[in-house]
């Protein structure tokens, strides 16, 4: 994967942004799966029954992961718009060095 600090060609930014977008989609999916697993966790089967901290902990995990999924979705949508904007730019393959001042 190309380092975003030093793009050899400006058009490489499109590829990097696409990789970031794919990673974000994967993260959102993983968070959603974790949320659903925790949502269906059963007292006495997956954690100690009658342990108040375990009950509260599972509710906290679900609430926080629900929030993380929402935030990941928002970021994925933002990155998708950036990716679309980058797609229409006619980048040069080579960049002239800056002029000395």
């Amino acid at each position: 994967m190309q380092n975003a600090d030093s793009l050899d060609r400006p058009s490489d930014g499109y590829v990097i942004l696409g990789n970031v977008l794919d990673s974000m989609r994967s993260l959102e999916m993983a968070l959603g799966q974790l949320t659903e697993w925790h949502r269906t966790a059963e007292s006495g089967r997956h954690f100690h029954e009658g342990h108040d901290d375990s009950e509260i902990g599972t509710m906290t995990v679900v609430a926080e992961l629900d929030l993380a999924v929402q935030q990941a979705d928002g970021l994925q949508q933002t990155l998708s718009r950036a990716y679309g904007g980058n797609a229409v730019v006619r980048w040069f393959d080579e960049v002239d060095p800056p002029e000395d001042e």
Side-chain angles (χ1 to χ4, degrees), residues 41-88:
E42 299 174 20
S43 177
R45 181 170 177 219
H46 296 107
F47 57 90
H48 286 281
E49 190 169 9
H51 185 247
D52 289 343
D53 286 345
S54 293
E55 295 283 346
I56 293 168
T58 57
M59 289 186 286
T60 301
V61 169
V62 170
E64 294 301 320
L65 285 174
D66 273 337
L67 180 59
V69 169
Q70 292 172 20
Q71 292 171 335
D73 179 61
L75 181 54
Q76 187 269 110
Q77 289 178 30
T78 301
L79 289 169
S80 186
R81 289 189 301 271
Y83 185 71
N86 195 320
V88 300

Side-chain angles (χ1 to χ4, degrees), residues 10 17 35 40 49 51 55 78 90 100:
L17 192 52
T35 303
T40 60
E49 190 169 9
H51 185 247
E55 295 283 346
T78 301
R90 293 182 178 176
D100 291 338

Side-chain angles (χ1 to χ4, degrees), residues 12-25:
D12 290 343
Y14 180 75
V15 174
I16 293 170
L17 192 52
N19 290 336
V20 170
L21 183 55
D22 288 343
S23 296
M24 193 64 232
R25 288 177 179 145

